[in-house]
Every structure is written in C-alpha cells, then in structure tokens.
Amino acid sequence: LEYKNGSFVRGSTRGDGETGEDVTANLLTIKSIPKTINFLGELEVRGEVYMPKASLEECNKKNELEGKPLFANCRNAAAGSIRNLDSSIAASRKLDIFLYYFVNADEFGITKHSESLEFIEKLGFRTNKERRLCSGIEEVIKYIDEYAAKRPSLDYDIDGIVIKVDD
C-alpha cells in the first residue's frame, strides 16, 4: 500500500518480485485499509490480504447455489479475488488485511520490527494482534506450541508462523 501526504494512492501485488499488478480498486473495497492517514510524505506498508473463514463459507454456499466451482481454500480465494478485474466481486467477498512491514521505517529512526508495527498501528493500519515479542528460542518454541493449539479457532487460515528477528 502506498500513501502520499496521507492519502492512499496505490496498492499492488508482489507479482514476480520485481513487477506487481495494480490492484488499487480492489483494495479500496477492504474496509480495514485506511483511505487517509495522518502522515506527510511518502509511506509504503506491506501485508497480506486474506479471506476470513466465514467469508469463504459464504462464497462457497453462493457458488454452490449458482452451480459455480467452489474455492479450495481461503488463500486461493483471496488471491483470486484481489486480482479480479471487477472490484465489486472483491467487495462481495469480504476480504481483510494484516500489515506486517513498514518499508521506509529506517527513514524515521525505527530500527526494530516491533517498533515499526507499533508505528503503523498508530497510523490506523491493522496488524495481527497474535504476535509476541520473545526473548530467546525457548520462548519462541513455547509460543509456537501455544499458537498451534489455538490455530483451529482462528477466524482465518494460516500456513504456519513467521519468526522475525526484532533488531
């Protein structure tokens, strides 16, 4: 997501790693993405659009009634929805987003990942509250075990847990 002087100006996919697709119109349908933020200058944040489990269930019920193919999983449904040329389709699928990376954080003296997440939260971006700052591998392993137990109760699918070094 790219912002200039507080206004959302463009959203794109990661594409092939160098060139992404402009999906601004579809991202504008996601209610948790702020259209304006209290920030002057240029800012870029990255994250992942996802489809909540309830939205997948609702879409698949509708597709079944209409004789259309069912989505295999939330991840494929979200990826296809965000790249769809018709933004009304993306809007109907009730997508959401977690932001997890403040690209130009170092320009603001932010050196720790946890601080960058706190900063973008204050600007109004949605981050995943399930994160935890751990001190050492033992705490990381404990967190992974706790999260594995609660995984089925999450309202979204996950492939696993990402571990990042804070500094």
Side-chain angles (χ1 to χ4, degrees):
L1 308 177
E2 297 174 46
Y3 290 77
K4 289 188 182 172
N5 294 321
S7 295
F8 177 50
V9 293
R10 182 178 31 243
S12 57
T13 67
R14 68 175 155 233
D16 64 7
E18 287 188 33
T19 305
E21 294 176 59
D22 186 328
V23 291
T24 306
N26 290 341
L27 292 172
L28 285 168
T29 70
I30 299 175
K31 293 179 175 131
S32 60
I33 295 177
K35 309 312 177 251
T36 61
I37 57 173
N38 186 15
F39 188 87
L40 295 177
E42 295 184 9
L43 176 131
E44 182 180 334
V45 290
R46 296 181 185 168
E48 185 168 0
V49 170
Y50 70 94
M51 179 179 277
K53 291 176 182 176
S55 296
L56 176 71
E57 201 173 299
E58 189 178 312
C59 285
N60 275 342
K61 281 180 185 175
K62 183 177 182 240
N63 284 354
E64 188 172 33
L65 288 172
E66 295 173 0
K68 294 179 181 175
L70 304 183
F71 292 112
N73 56 56
C74 292
R75 179 174 224 135
N76 290 352
S81 299
I82 207 64
R83 296 178 66 221
N84 197 295
L85 297 178
D86 182 351
S87 60
S88 68
I89 291 173
S92 73
R93 294 185 180 164
K94 299 176 186 161
L95 303 173
D96 211 335
I97 191 167
F98 285 127
L99 283 302
Y100 56 78
Y101 182 55
F102 177 19
V103 174
N104 48 331
D106 59 334
E107 294 174 22
F108 301 91
I110 299 172
T111 58
K112 295 184 182 227
H113 183 66
S114 59
E115 292 171 356
S116 74
L117 293 176
E118 290 168 11
F119 183 85
I120 65 174
E121 277 180 343
K122 287 177 185 168
L123 291 174
F125 293 103
R126 186 166 191 261
T127 63
N128 192 322
K129 300 291 186 191
E130 297 291 334
R131 67 180 186 269
R132 183 180 302 164
L133 189 59
C134 299
S135 297
I137 192 64
E138 293 81 17
E139 282 187 40
V140 170
I141 292 168
K142 182 180 176 188
Y143 176 71
I144 290 170
D145 291 342
E146 288 173 22
Y147 209 80
K150 76 185 322 186
R151 183 178 183 172
S153 67
L154 297 172
D155 71 343
Y156 51 90
D157 284 335
I158 61 170
D159 294 334
I161 295 174
V162 175
I163 307 299
K164 293 185 177 187
V165 176
D166 197 37
D167 185 352

